[in-house]
């Protein structure tokens, strides 16, 4: 059974410089990073060796936001996913074969008064569009530290999207479903959830899916139209270390390991 490392508590400490924490953690494992400043936000791009990429297969861009709401530990939203990505990066760098993972920690995930355009990932998604990066499989991992059921979030796509976009989005959703179904032994759900960084990519015409985790009892509440207890903790002091469940960390690690092995021809 996975045990949450004590150093995780340093990451959710009120005075933690989370950008520096991520960079230092990865640097100790021999992994270089680059900071991408955009519109006052600082995204962290993880540099894997070119030998770990094969152009015959699709790139899998994996995103987890590292910012948190002030006055909340942010243990689940989104520190758990961040920490699991850091641990995953340390495994990826040692893979003897290619993995095609593009890993980015984003800043400013919370929506502001201007809606999606004020989300930190929006200029990043806009850059992807300008550079013609439209064929990645983009996976957003948000709130992965509590529960035993992986959730593929339902996306209400805006009207007027091209047939090509809808077709590519549906294919990505199918791959995401297969991913979490395989990693969880068939125990998963698809539920309507709040948008995460996937909203910025969809708004820029780039398919992206978001994955989260909930306890089984919270899934039952959601299916009855009630707000899951996990979601009530978001942005509060109750989103703390004590609210986390090691089984969620173990499940997420399985999903990430499975994703590294996933290969889709371009």
């Amino acid at each position: 059974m996975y045990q949450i490392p004590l150093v995780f508590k340093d990451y959710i400490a009120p005075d933690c410089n989370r950008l520096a924490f991520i960079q230092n953690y990865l640097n100790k494992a021999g992994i270089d990073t680059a900071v991408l400043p955009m519109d006052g936000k600082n995204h962290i791009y993880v540099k894997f060796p070119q030998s770990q990429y094969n152009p015959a297969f699709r790139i899998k861009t994996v995103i987890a936001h590292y910012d948190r709401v002030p006055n909340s530990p942010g243990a689940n939203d989104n520190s758990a996913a961040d920490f699991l990505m850091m641990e995953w990066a340390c495994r990826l760098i040692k893979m003897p074969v290619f993995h095609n993972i593009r890993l980015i920690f984003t800043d400013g995930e919370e929506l502001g008064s201007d809606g999606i355009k004020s989300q930190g990932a929006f200029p990043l998604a806009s850059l992807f569009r300008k550079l013609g990066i439209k064929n990645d499989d983009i996976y957003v991992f948000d709130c992965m530290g509590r529960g035993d059921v992986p959730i593929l979030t339902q996306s209400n796509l805006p009207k007027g999207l091209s047939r090509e976009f809808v077709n590519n989005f549906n294919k990505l959703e199918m791959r995401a479903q297969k991913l979490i179904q395989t990693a969880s032994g068939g125990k998963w759900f698809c539920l309507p959830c709040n948008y995460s960084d996937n909203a910025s990519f969809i708004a820029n015409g780039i398919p992206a899916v978001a994955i989260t985790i909930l306890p089984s009892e919270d899934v039952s509440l959601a299916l009855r139209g009630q707000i899951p207890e996990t979601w009530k903790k978001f942005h509060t002091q109750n989103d703390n270390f004590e609210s986390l469940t090691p089984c969620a960390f173990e499940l997420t690690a399985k999903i990430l390991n499975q994703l590294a092995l996933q290969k889709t021809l371009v």
Side-chain angles (χ1 to χ4, degrees):
M1 175 63 73
Y2 182 94
Q3 291 186 338
I4 305 173
L6 290 178
V7 69
F8 179 84
K9 291 187 176 182
D10 295 334
Y11 186 58
I12 63 173
D15 58 348
C16 179
N17 181 331
R18 290 157 73 84
L19 185 152
F21 185 105
I22 293 171
Q23 288 192 298
N24 291 337
Y25 187 101
L26 296 178
N27 183 257
K28 288 178 181 178
I31 303 171
D32 291 331
T33 59
V35 175
L36 309 177
M38 296 182 181
D39 290 3
K41 305 299 181 183
N42 293 306
H43 309 304
I44 305 170
Y45 177 81
V46 180
K47 296 182 177 181
F48 293 113
Q50 194 58 42
S51 60
Q52 293 188 310
Y53 296 89
N54 185 329
F57 297 88
R58 296 175 76 95
I59 294 292
K60 295 158 287 187
T61 293
V62 178
I63 291 172
H65 74 88
Y66 73 90
D67 61 302
R68 55 180 169 175
V69 169
N71 301 317
S72 172
N76 191 19
D77 185 16
N78 193 34
S79 302
D82 297 338
F83 203 86
L84 284 158
M85 297 298 172
M86 289 182 250
E87 291 185 327
W88 186 43
C90 295
R91 297 195 298 275
L92 291 176
I93 199 71
K94 297 176 182 177
M95 283 187 67
V97 296
F98 71 92
H99 53 67
N100 276 26
I101 297 294
R102 179 189 282 126
L103 181 55
I104 303 174
F105 296 88
T106 60
D107 185 16
E109 184 265 354
E110 300 299 331
L111 294 178
S113 58
D114 294 329
I116 291 175
K117 289 187 176 180
S118 66
Q119 191 177 54
F122 190 86
L124 178 65
S126 298
L127 178 62
F128 270 49
R129 176 173 51 80
K130 291 174 183 176
L131 295 175
I133 304 175
K134 300 188 296 183
N135 295 319
D136 283 17
D137 281 357
I138 298 180
Y139 289 88
V140 175
F141 287 83
D142 207 348
C143 306
M144 308 298 295
R146 177 179 163 85
D148 59 334
V149 183
I151 305 295
L152 179 62
T153 66
Q154 290 179 355
S155 297
N156 294 319
L157 299 179
K159 295 181 179 180
L161 293 171
S162 68
R163 181 177 298 178
E164 179 185 14
F165 175 93
V166 174
N167 183 49
N168 289 337
F169 183 87
N170 288 339
K171 289 180 179 179
L172 175 58
E173 271 201 328
M174 291 297 294
R175 287 192 287 273
Q177 288 178 15
K178 183 177 180 180
L179 169 70
I180 61 176
Q181 184 176 26
T182 300
S184 66
K187 185 178 180 180
W188 69 281
F189 270 92
C190 188
L191 292 172
C193 307
N194 290 333
Y195 272 111
S196 184
D197 281 333
N198 57 319
S200 288
F201 285 90
I202 291 173
N204 277 280
I206 302 173
V209 295
I211 295 171
T212 188
I213 288 182
L214 284 175
S216 298
E217 55 270 24
D218 277 0
V219 174
S220 298
L221 287 174
L223 292 174
R224 296 198 300 268
Q226 301 177 38
I227 300 176
E229 291 299 320
T230 296
W231 294 354
K232 292 179 182 180
K233 298 180 186 296
F234 292 166
H235 305 174
T236 73
Q237 285 291 330
N238 293 325
D239 184 8
N240 53 32
F241 183 86
E242 291 70 27
S243 71
L244 303 177
T245 58
C247 64
F249 284 69
E250 187 171 1
L251 176 56
T252 301
K254 289 180 181 179
I255 294 172
L256 294 173
N257 290 342
Q258 188 69 31
L259 181 56
L261 299 174
Q262 188 184 76
K263 295 178 175 62
T264 305
L265 287 169
V266 173

